[in-house]
Structures are given as C-alpha cells and as structure tokens.
Amino acid sequence: MAGITGKDAVLTEYAQRLETLDAPKGRSLTQDAVRRLARNKAAVVSIFVVVFIILFAFVGPYFLPWTYDKIDWTGIRKPPNFEAGHFVGTDQNGRDMLARIMQGTQMSLIVAGVATLVSVCIGIIYGAVAGYFGGKVDAVMMRFVDIMYALPYILFVIILVVMFGRNPVLLFVGIGCLEWLTMARIVRGQTLSIKEREFVEAAKAGGAKPWTIITRHIVPNLTGPVVIYSTLTIPEIILTESFLSYLGLGVQEPQTSLGTLISFGSPVAETLPWMLIGPAVVLVSLLLALTYIGDGLRDALDPKDR
Amino acid sequence: MFGYVTRRVLSAIPIALIAVTACFFILRLAPGGPFDGERALPPTTLANLRAHYNLDLPLIQQYFIYVWRLLQGDFGPSMVYNDFTVAEMLWIGLPFTLMLGFSAFIIGTIVGLVAGALSAVNQNKWPDYVLVLLVMIGLVVPNFLMAAIMQLVFGVYLDWFPAGGWQAGSIPHLVLPITVLVLPHAGRTARLMRGSMIEVLGTNYVRTAKSKGLGQRLILARHAIKPALLPVVSYLGPGLSYLLTGSLVVEQVFALPGIGKYFISAALNRDYGLVLGTTILYMFIILAVNLLVDIIYAWLDPKVRYS
C-alpha cells in the first residue's frame, strides 16, 4: 500500500528531519496573530508610542530637577526656560509643567489600568453567567444591560463622585462600573456558542458544577475577544476620566491628571499656550495610539473580519 | 407592527421608574445636604427649611410624594435658587439644549453616514485614507479639548465666529458648539457605517446584483444601503446619550443657556430637586429616542418585529 500516495515516504522523511531538528515548524494561532500584528505598521508604531509614553510618565520624573508639586518662586507663568530646568514652562503657581504633565499622564494611566480591570472583571462574570444559564436568567440580565445602555449613566457617575467625595478609588470603580456593558454583551455572545461545545458537555457529564464550568472551561476560551475589547476600552476610560477631571471632579491638587491640566490650560491658552499644548499632545497621541493598537489586535486576532 | 410598538412603549415605563428611583436614593443616601453653607444655620431655621421642603419626613414618604408630583409634571422647588421651581428652570433651558443636541445629532448622523459610505465604496483608495484619518481625529480628540482649540483658532485668531455666548436667533454663535458636538458623533457613525458597508458589499447578493449588470449606484441604493444601516441605527440611541453628555461640557465652555449648565453646580450644591429634574429630563429624552430607534430598527429588519 505504501506506494500509492507516497504518504508513508513523506512522513518518514519528516520524522527524520524532526530528529535532526530542521523540520519546517507549524505556526500556532498566537504566532499567526503576532505576525499579522507585526505587519500592521500603524499598530507597531503605536506600540512604540505607548511604551514611550509609559516610560515618559513613570521614569521621566527621576530625570527632572523639579517635582510636580514644587513651587519655583522665581519662575511663575514663565515660558520654557532651559537654564532653570523648566523645559516646557511653568504654570500660574510656578510649578514645572513637564513634571506636572508626567504626573498627570501617570494618573491617567493608573486610572485607565484599574478601571479597565474592574470593567473587564464585571463584564466577563456577568456575560458568562447570563450566556451560560440562558433562558429567563439571560433575558432578565441582558434586559438590564439594555436599560443601562439607554441611560445617561455618566450623570450617575457625576452624582456618585460629587456625593461621596473625590475619592480616587471611587473614581476608578465608578468609571469601571460604567464601561462593562459592551464587554458583557460580547462575552455573552461568545459563551452562547462555547457552551454547546463537547468539552463543556464532557465537564457536565463529569459532574462539574456550573461555577467550575464557567471559570475553568468557558472563561479561558474567551481570551481573544476579551483582549481585543479591553484594549479598545482603555482609551474610552482615559476619555471618561479626563472628562470628569475637566469638570473638576477628578483627582485633587496638587496631584493632577491630563484632563485637569487641559482644563487649567484651555482658559489661558492665548497667553500661556505651553500650558495647553503639552498635555493636549500627550493625551491625543496616547488615545490615538491605543485606538490603533486595539484595531490592529482586532484585525490580528479575529480572522473573520478579514 | 402596532403590537410591537405598544410592547416597546409599555416596557419603557418600568425602565423610567427604576431610573428615577435609583437616582432619588443615590442622591439622598449621600452625605451632605443643600443647606450646609459656610456658616451653620441656627437649628430652628434649619428645621423650618427642612420642613418646608419635606426633608424631615421619612425618606420613603418623600419618595412617594416626589413620584406623585412628578406624575403631575411638578419637579418640585429648587433648593438653592429660591425664586424658581425646577420646572421653570428646566423649561427655560430645555428648548436650547434640545435645539443644540438635535441639530448636532442630525448633522452628525448624516455626515457620518455619507463619510462612512464613501469611505467603504472607495476602500483602500485615497478618499478612504483621508476620511479614516479625519474620523480618527473626531473620535480621539476629547470634546473639551476640541472646544478649546476651536475657540482659540476660529474665535480668537481668525475671528470668524464668536468664541462663546448666545444671542437668540444668531446662527454664528451656534457654529462652533455644534461643530464640537458633531465631530465625535459623526466619527463614531462613520466608523460603524464603513465597517458594515464593507461587509455588505462583500455578500453574495451584492455580487449577484453586480453580475446581472446593475450599475454601482443602483446596487447601493437598492441592495446595500438598507442592511448596512442596521448596526448604525442601533448605535443611535447610545450615540445620543454620548452627545447629551458632550452638551454638558459644550454648554459650559461656550457659556450657553441650556439645562446642562446647571447640572454640575447643582450636584455640588446638593440641590436635590434640580439634579433629579435634570437627570430625569435627560433620561426621558434618551428613552424617547431609543424608542424611536427601536421602531426604525423594526421597520428596517422584519426579523425583530416578529420575534
């Protein structure tokens, strides 16, 4: 039989090459995705931009002569002055703008990280439970999501933040609670198809409890869409945070965030332009880069869109 | 179709009620009150004030009084602006906010749809690249930053339009605020429209239409536009919600007389009546638009109607 298709010969040759370690290797799904991402120029550039901004925010302050809350009494409202170490000028209180921009970026990134984590956790659990149990539970839970979608919920967050004081933790959690809706919808949709698969049936036959099935068998299979959607959530959250900060409801002085800096910079932009330009450039490039990365990841991980 | 509409209208009622309840209790359970001033009021005055606004009754009773009055269209008094009732204040600001919001909504939706469709039809040619870049800018630049840039460039340096304020009937005063509101909405709409249009243009029935010799224009008008609109239509509800949030900022930055202007200061002053009134009004506008969107959706997609 060996001679008809030549299969055995090919396989034997392949086995030999495997032993000598020069066999053509297969590519895993992850490797495929990484290659597709690396071919997307906008996404690659964006990754470098984001890494640069993160380093800028967290490492940059160590290289500056001024800290974000130090007042230079000789340099109030001064344009960039390299001799005094104010590379992008000072604000009305004589604080170094570059140091403040770095601190503000740090704050915005931390809020984005924590709030994204909160929203991803809520979204996954909610969506997985609704999708897994289905029926009435699903109908009620998704109806609730529809309702939340329809409400001007940023007003609720404003009310919450104003009423319970400007606690940074509340800000994180509040924004996180705001952004989980789409995640829940996506996770539910995926769960509906995953729960019909054989391995879930096997787990059920083996006597696993629903909670175990959800955490051990369903959630790990959601990684792709969750990663894509989380990267798209981060810019949304940075926007929401800067919006709240702009309204004066975000972090408190002397700490600052990009939104706060812009809100102080925009009224005086005509006379002290350096107070607006710096934070605006950082915020816009950060948001632009994150959006491009999210799009790139979606194209790379989700083959059906191509 | 009539049954569907009735069901949707009926299902909006409990939503509104839940939202009013949530809002009421969040506000009341929070620490602080409308009469915490710099200087503490004498206890008897405070007691009289609280009694006047029914704040001394049990919370649950206050809630029922509020809802009962609300059903009769009475939003109660403002606790900080003593000379006005909430309904009067909202009534002054509402026409302006609606005018601003809906002009931006309509302009933004049309611009977004046209831009998205153009960009999908010219996929990966230069009009597409230019439009995608513009859309990105609209999406990424936050409205408060865009407002500042617009004021500075068109209001101060070029001096084409007034940088803020409002005179009744003056169109130039509206150009900048509406532009700031339109950009992100148009951006999101265009992005959705581009995606769904590209998907529709790749389907089998469009290929069939092409192969039987229909012109590009006819294919778009007869076969492509309607199904491509579906995801966009379902975005319009949340889209309006974003837009109204944006109008909070725009009304403040451009000093415009809408209802958003009072919201932040009212929340900071614990002016329960005014905060609740504004939130409820926003919510009703959004619910009404969502209802309209659902009905349009059912008209576009028969599957929804009969499920």
Side-chain angles (χ1 to χ4, degrees), chain A residues 122-191:
Chain A
I122 301 178
I124 291 181
I125 294 172
Y126 197 92
V129 167
Y132 182 75
F133 290 106
K136 280 215 178 96
V137 178
D138 182 32
V140 170
M141 286 175 86
M142 292 329 277
R143 193 73 202 120
F144 178 71
V145 170
D146 290 346
I147 294 171
M148 294 285 288
Y149 250 114
L151 295 177
Y153 42 76
I154 191 128
L155 300 188
F156 285 93
V157 172
I158 292 176
I159 293 173
L160 274 177
V161 172
V162 169
M163 294 296 158
F164 291 100
R166 296 175 206 162
N167 182 342
V169 177
L170 189 74
L171 191 69
F172 300 156
V173 176
I175 298 176
C177 294
L178 194 85
E179 297 280 352
W180 59 272
L181 298 171
T182 316
M183 181 63 91
R185 277 191 175 174
I186 292 171
V187 167
R188 171 187 171 264
Q190 293 285 319
T191 308

Side-chain angles (χ1 to χ4, degrees), chain B residues 25 41 56 80 177 255 266 304:
Chain B
F25 285 104
L41 293 167
D56 52 345
V80 174
V304 176

